[in-house]
Amino acid sequence: MSWLYLGLAIMFEVCGTVLMKYSKGLSHLSLDVLMMLSYIISLSMLSLALKKIEIGTAYAVWSGMGIVFIVTIGVIFFKESLSLQKIMFIAFIVIGAIGLNLLGEAH
């Protein structure tokens, strides 16, 4: 269940970040409220995940996967650049998250 909470935390963090982009510097009240609500839910889910997952592992997976999703959304929806170097370093993040997940299950 903790990994489900962590997945939800990642999803809501990504939603909050996308809403932040659309908010254009906190200039759209409805988007601003949704953004803040997304972050509150994200941190609440992260707190629940921390009941069973080590904090270092949870935070690494939460932030790392958030980066992966935000970069992907940035490239697809906001036409942001993507270079071979970006892909390589994002791959390192994914490998690290997977490694931490496997290590966490081994202990």
Side-chain angles (χ1 to χ4, degrees), residues 34-87:
L34 287 173
M35 176 194 69
M36 289 180 216
L37 184 60
S38 292
Y39 282 125
I40 289 169
I41 294 170
S42 175
L43 291 173
S44 298
M45 293 294 107
L46 181 59
S47 293
L48 292 172
L50 291 178
K51 287 183 175 183
K52 299 275 176 139
I53 302 171
E54 293 179 354
I55 191 169
T57 300
Y59 193 77
V61 172
W62 180 70
S63 60
M65 295 311 296
I67 291 167
V68 169
F69 290 128
I70 288 299
V71 167
T72 303
I73 289 168
V75 169
I76 293 171
F77 294 104
F78 300 114
K79 307 301 181 215
E80 295 178 355
S81 66
L82 186 63
S83 65
L84 182 59
Q85 291 85 3
K86 280 185 182 179
I87 293 170

Side-chain angles (χ1 to χ4, degrees), residues 1 3 32-34 61 103:
M1 192 69 170
W3 287 101
D32 300 340
V33 170
L34 287 173
V61 172
L103 181 64

Side-chain angles (χ1 to χ4, degrees), residues 18-36:
V18 170
L19 288 165
M20 186 187 305
K21 175 74 171 173
Y22 280 119
S23 165
K24 299 188 187 304
L26 300 175
S27 62
H28 298 284
L29 183 59
S30 60
L31 294 176
D32 300 340
V33 170
L34 287 173
M35 176 194 69
M36 289 180 216

